[in-house]
Amino acid sequence: MAFYRYTAIDRTGEIIESSLFAVDESEVGRRLSGMGMTPLSIRESDPGEAESAFRLPRFKVKERVIILFYKVLASMIGSGITIYEAIGVMVEQEESRRFKKVLSAVGKQLENGMSLSDAMALHPHAFSAMSVNMVRTGELGGMLESVLQTIAVYMDKRAKIRSRIIMSFVYPVIVLAVGLGVTVFLVAFVIPRFSVLLKGRPLPWNTQFLIDLSDYVVQSYPVILTALLALFASLVIGFALPEIRIHIDRYKIHIPLIGPVMRYGIVVQFSRTLAALFASGIPLIEALEATRGTMPNLSMRQSIDDMLMQVRSGNSFADALGGKPVFTPLLKSMASIGEHSGNLDRSLNLVADVHEEILEARVQKMTAMIEPALIILLGGVVGFVAWGLVAGMLSLYG
């Protein structure tokens, strides 16, 4: 399939300049004749021109919109509707203006002879490389409906897992931010007003400590703000540089309480993605390469690179999993069983389901332990400040 630019005259005598995808120039001529046009010139263009002709400006499309797209498209194809007709119906019904433009472009590309997977590949901001590869496999194997359903289920479960992990950190972060805000307000604004009354007389140690701390914060706040900004900039640079981030990603799964949640989240995503690719008929090496692109953890990507080298060298998938601390013993055992039984996708789905349950339990445990700890810590800080202020006021009567 190649990209061709053509100039033709339609039935009304108007000169048309456009483009389409076809096997060769003769097919372009036949299709133009079928549309009632007389070709004047036909030339093959390079792939870069094809992408520039069809690709829309990059913008993010919400994941729930993409999930619904796969579900609806699978249902329409199962009902006997052609892909082109299904896309046309979805363009009319789509509420998201951004995704409506994407679907309109996909429909135009289908009309010009491009396959669904090739049309999707021109819009990486909406369709991931993994999904494109799965759709291409479904087209070649004649099981597009099943593949689309698999993609929808996979993306739905992945979104739910991500949502659970994010929500587990939201409440502790809010409590910590509010507590720090209250503490800063007391130290920077409340205590300085009390210190005017208390200075120049002997004070309890806790009251004196609060006054000295408040004076230091008020006088040195430019230095403190500069240090905080420098720390924030260092973290941003650390996460931006792959050489540093790979070490952060490698060791953060060993952080007490939080680390297990991150580890099981990685295992669930890895197993679920690989199972979806296997179920679509994608070979092991290509499936691992596609899975690698979906992993945000750089250390995990490095582990998959090592697995690819071992598999290409003739080692089994289960053997390639060995020696990598992020993978659990259950995953390694089930991978071995799946390889021997020929049901690796089922084994990986089972691993993902089991680890998803473990992940939920870990998230609940982490939340149950962090919330009381934060409340006790912040309550202790506020109580200490209140105790120091009351002790200072009582010293006035001593």
Side-chain angles (χ1 to χ4, degrees):
M1 190 74 70
F3 179 69
Y4 291 91
R5 289 281 188 181
Y6 66 85
T7 303
I9 301 177
D10 64 8
R11 293 187 180 93
T12 62
E14 184 180 357
I15 296 178
I16 305 296
E17 293 184 359
S18 187
S19 55
L20 54 77
F21 281 83
V23 176
D24 51 29
E25 292 187 12
S26 60
E27 183 185 351
V28 176
R30 289 195 303 269
R31 290 171 60 181
L32 292 176
S33 299
M35 291 185 288
M37 292 190 289
T38 303
L40 298 178
S41 65
I42 300 173
R43 64 179 180 87
E44 183 178 353
S45 300
D46 57 81
E49 188 176 354
E51 292 191 7
S52 64
F54 288 117
R55 181 172 287 174
L56 295 174
R58 291 175 177 265
F59 46 75
K60 187 67 176 175
V61 179
K62 293 182 179 179
E63 191 173 29
R64 60 177 179 82
V65 175
I66 304 297
I67 294 173
L68 183 60
F69 162 76
Y70 287 122
K71 290 181 178 179
V72 174
L73 185 58
S75 300
M76 288 186 174
I77 292 176
S79 302
I81 301 176
T82 64
I83 299 176
Y84 178 72
E85 292 173 339
I87 295 295
V89 172
M90 296 174 71
V91 168
E92 296 178 358
Q93 297 180 350
E94 182 57 49
E95 296 180 356
S96 171
R97 281 197 280 177
R98 291 180 174 181
F99 194 54
K100 193 183 189 75
K101 292 180 180 179
V102 174
L103 290 180
S104 299
V106 169
K108 180 181 178 183
Q109 292 148 14
L110 292 174
E111 185 180 6
N112 283 278
M114 190 182 284
S115 66
L116 177 62
S117 57
D118 290 338
M120 291 170 57
L122 296 179
H123 308 282
H125 54 285
F127 307 109
S128 66
M130 188 198 79
S131 300
V132 171
N133 289 334
M134 292 176 68
V135 170
R136 183 173 289 114
T137 304
E139 289 175 324
L140 295 174
M143 51 180 184
L144 184 57
E145 178 189 355
S146 174
V147 168
L148 291 172
Q149 291 174 347
T150 301
I151 296 173
V153 171
Y154 159 74
M155 292 185 65
D156 196 23
K157 290 185 177 181
R158 187 185 65 177
K160 289 178 180 178
I161 287 294
R162 188 188 299 118
S163 177
R164 288 194 194 101
I165 295 176
I166 292 175
M167 291 304 298
S168 67
F169 288 99
V170 168
Y171 180 77
V173 169
I174 292 176
V175 172
L176 185 61
V178 172
L180 289 175
V182 171
T183 303
V184 170
F185 175 75
L186 291 174
V187 172
F189 297 99
V190 177
I191 295 176
R193 285 158 177 74
F194 276 93
S195 64
V196 176
L197 301 174
L198 301 178
K199 282 184 177 179
R201 62 182 70 235
L203 298 172
W205 70 270
N206 53 347
T207 306
Q208 189 63 52
F209 171 78
L210 290 175
I211 292 176
D212 293 342
L213 177 63
S214 176
D215 291 341
Y216 176 78
V217 171
V218 171
Q219 295 173 7
S220 306
Y221 77 90
V223 177
I224 296 173
L225 288 177
T226 302
L228 291 175
L229 290 175
L231 177 61
F232 177 75
S234 300
L235 291 174
V236 171
I237 293 173
F239 279 98
L241 294 176
E243 297 82 2
I244 300 176
R245 185 183 166 186
I246 192 171
H247 294 287
I248 298 174
D249 288 346
R250 180 178 296 124
Y251 294 109
K252 70 183 181 182
I253 64 173
H254 301 291
I255 300 174
L257 203 62
I258 299 175
V261 173
M262 296 181 177
R263 181 191 183 193
Y264 285 113
I266 290 172
V267 172
V268 169
Q269 181 177 352
F270 173 79
S271 304
R272 189 82 70 193
T273 304
L274 205 55
L277 292 167
F278 273 129
S280 302
I282 296 177
L284 176 60
I285 292 179
E286 294 181 16
L288 284 173
E289 290 174 345
T291 302
R292 181 191 181 280
T294 66
M295 306 302 297
N297 188 297
L298 296 187
S299 177
M300 183 64 180
R301 291 188 179 186
Q302 190 179 59
S303 298
I304 296 176
D305 288 337
D306 181 66
M307 292 172 61
L308 283 166
M309 290 178 59
Q310 294 188 45
V311 172
R312 289 191 179 105
S313 300
N315 293 337
S316 67
F317 174 62
D319 292 338
L321 290 171
K324 298 171 179 61
V326 68
F327 297 127
T328 61
L330 177 61
L331 173 58
K332 299 171 186 177
S333 300
M334 292 301 297
S336 178
I337 294 172
E339 279 189 309
H340 286 92
S341 63
N343 294 318
L344 188 56
D345 56 331
R346 295 183 181 179
S347 297
L348 289 173
N349 269 321
L350 178 60
V351 169
D353 292 338
V354 172
H355 284 81
E356 191 171 337
E357 294 179 3
I358 298 175
L359 176 63
E360 291 181 1
R362 288 281 184 174
V363 168
Q364 293 176 1
K365 179 181 178 181
M366 181 188 69
T367 306
M369 295 182 68
I370 289 180
E371 290 178 4
L374 285 176
I375 292 174
I376 292 172
L377 175 64
L378 298 178
V381 171
V382 175
F384 180 80
V385 173
W387 176 36
L389 294 178
V390 172
M393 295 301 295
L394 292 176
S395 68
L396 294 176
Y397 301 97

